[in-house]
Amino acid sequence: MNNTKKTSIISKDGVSYLIPFILITSCFALWGFANDITNPMVKAFSKIFRMSVTDGALVQVAFYGGYFAMAFPAAMFIRKFSYKAGVLLGLGMYAFGAFLFFPAMLSGSYYPFLIAYFILTCGLSFLETSSNPYILSMGTEETATRRLNLAQSFNPMGSLLGMYVAMNFIQNRLNPMDTMERSQLSATDFEAVRDSDLGVLIAPYLIIGIVILVMLILIRMVKMPKNADQSHDINFFPTLKRIFSISYYREGVIAQFFYVGAQIMCWTFVIQYGTRLFMSQGMGEKAAEVLSQQYNIVAMIIFCASRFICTFILRYLSPGLLLKVLAIAACGFTIGVIFIQDIGGIYCLVGVSACMSLMFPTIYGIALQGLGDDAKFGAAGLIMAILGGSVLPPLQASIIDMQTLFGMPAVNVSFVLPFICFVVIIIYGHRSYVRERRW
């Protein structure tokens, strides 16, 4: 009985999609790497270019702005051609953006890096818009959410690697001078330190660019299924009108916007949160940053383990109910992050990751239920919702730059924004659960 269920997750009408599933699932790890090597770069760029946290957060604006800008062009492309073509184009743009880090380094300026990030994430937008519904199509609709959760379980593995690389091959190798010391350097000395640090920063991006090219060639050579690729008519506006008239899809886009915003805020500003906490205990800035990143890695390990656990639990609980329960728990942990000003606060911030593990793929799966071939455009709307990762972190950064607020550290107060996001997800989970009970 159990073996039948396991097989049915990645098969349909007697056809197994094991090899395509493995290859496309590998792409989930590849964009997880890009996402989580980028989060610590807000702090790194702020230090390298002697900028405020708000200016450093422009990295996230460029990164997640690329998702927003390219989502519907990606949907039209895969509707016209195929999921496989979308994956290949996404990998190509990903690699190109990574290679652009080299000329950005030569420029010695911040803004060429933002352009490189934007192009890289235009590729990720193609990749995610193609891969998520492709995974959904590799089996029956009844097992779609479980299948997507399984594939998404490998995303945090790439994220863990991205965090590890960011900590050990970028942050630990940057010049140990803190922000204050850098601000006191002469122009010539500052440029020398900056150029050295930029050389350290770009190396992992150039390496991942080569890895992406190898993956592109591999997928190009392997025969992939063409299921759910029958319709090539774009019908852009009628399709949009049709899918946005579906309440659970429309609400899913909103929920996804707030979820991604919450995720990026929690994972980006754990560095600022932990650095303030540990420096208040007498630790130096460099050591405090490294220790904060270690907590971030622990959070990702918990996130990864929790996603596998939640995928198993989905066999017994409905997606809407589990989403609602975890969002309530996330609110509880976030309250701890705001009001606890000792080590317990960062423990709560790590705990939030356990709650977030289920959210993205589950919102995705619920929102795309029953859309059929319209899932290509539906996926684009959900990928555009990743804009939340571009809009909300700068708002949080502007709060953090205030230093103190209401007599509390501003970095603690800033986590009221993720709290609001999780409230929105509670509402979506509850409405989804009510609808599931009716079905």
Side-chain angles (χ1 to χ4, degrees), residues 57 104 191 323 360 370 379 407:
E191 289 177 4
L323 180 65
F360 184 93

Side-chain angles (χ1 to χ4, degrees), residues 5 52 61 84 102 139 164 184 198 201 203 208 217 234 236 239 244 304 323 332 341 359 377 380 394 411 416 419:
K5 287 185 178 181
S52 68
V61 174
K84 180 178 179 178
F102 183 72
Y164 178 82
Q184 297 171 352
L198 290 178
L201 186 145
I208 193 62
I217 294 169
I234 294 177
F236 183 71
T239 303
F244 275 98
C304 183
L323 180 65
Q341 298 186 31
M359 293 180 182
F377 279 100
V411 67
V416 72
F419 177 83

Side-chain angles (χ1 to χ4, degrees), residues 105-371:
M105 177 200 68
L106 295 179
S107 74
S109 177
Y110 178 48
Y111 295 101
F113 284 98
L114 299 183
I115 295 172
Y117 274 120
F118 182 81
I119 293 173
L120 185 153
T121 50
C122 284
L124 297 186
S125 185
F126 263 89
L127 200 56
E128 291 204 42
T129 302
S130 304
S131 297
N132 283 295
Y134 207 2
I135 289 293
L136 288 174
S137 73
M138 291 182 184
T140 63
E141 188 167 322
E142 291 76 14
T143 59
T145 300
R146 286 173 56 201
R147 185 165 51 255
L148 184 58
N149 268 279
L150 178 60
Q152 286 274 0
S153 296
F154 292 87
N155 173 266
M157 293 184 180
S159 297
L160 275 172
L161 180 59
M163 287 182 174
Y164 178 82
V165 169
M167 182 176 72
N168 292 282
F169 295 96
I170 297 180
Q171 288 176 300
N172 283 356
R173 298 188 181 187
L174 295 178
N175 191 293
M177 284 190 295
D178 61 27
T179 305
M180 182 65 69
E181 291 171 325
R182 288 168 186 259
S183 67
Q184 297 171 352
L185 292 174
S186 67
T188 302
D189 290 341
F190 167 69
E191 289 177 4
V193 171
R194 179 201 65 196
D195 292 345
S196 174
D197 283 347
L198 290 178
V200 169
L201 186 145
I202 71 163
Y205 286 93
L206 299 181
I207 293 170
I208 193 62
I210 294 171
V211 172
I212 296 301
L213 285 182
V214 172
M215 190 67 184
L216 187 156
I217 294 169
L218 180 61
I219 292 179
R220 175 66 182 86
M221 293 173 61
V222 172
K223 184 176 181 180
M224 304 289 283
K226 296 183 178 180
N227 58 309
D229 285 341
Q230 289 83 6
S231 174
H232 300 290
D233 295 329
I234 294 177
N235 297 323
F236 183 71
F237 291 107
T239 303
L240 283 188
K241 182 178 179 181
R242 183 165 59 250
I243 62 175
F244 275 98
S245 68
I246 302 172
S247 62
Y248 63 83
Y249 172 77
R250 183 173 63 249
E251 293 166 4
V253 171
I254 295 170
Q256 202 72 289
F257 175 91
F258 283 99
Y259 165 70
V260 175
Q263 175 187 292
I264 301 309
M265 287 187 287
C266 289
W267 288 351
T268 297
F269 297 113
V270 65
I271 306 298
Q272 280 76 10
Y273 188 94
T275 299
R276 185 213 65 80
L277 172 65
F278 298 128
M279 287 181 67
S280 71
Q281 298 174 348
M283 192 176 292
E285 183 179 12
K286 177 74 174 181
E289 287 179 8
V290 172
L291 185 55
S292 298
Q293 182 63 8
Q294 289 173 352
Y295 274 99
N296 207 12
I297 290 176
V298 170
M300 183 54 64
I301 293 172
I302 292 173
F303 180 91
C304 183
S306 179
R307 182 164 278 177
F308 280 104
I309 293 169
C310 289
T311 300
F312 175 78
I313 294 174
L314 280 173
R315 299 177 66 177
Y316 307 101
L317 294 182
S318 71
L321 177 58
L322 193 52
L323 180 65
K324 175 183 174 181
V325 169
L326 290 179
I328 291 172
C331 281
F333 279 123
T334 308
I335 290 172
V337 173
I338 296 169
F339 291 104
I340 299 175
Q341 298 186 31
D342 55 26
I343 194 67
I346 203 164
Y347 288 162
C348 288
L349 189 49
V350 169
V352 170
S353 288
C355 303
M356 292 194 299
S357 64
L358 175 89
M359 293 180 182
F360 184 93
T362 301
I363 294 170
Y364 207 104
I366 292 172
L368 293 186
Q369 281 180 345
L371 292 192

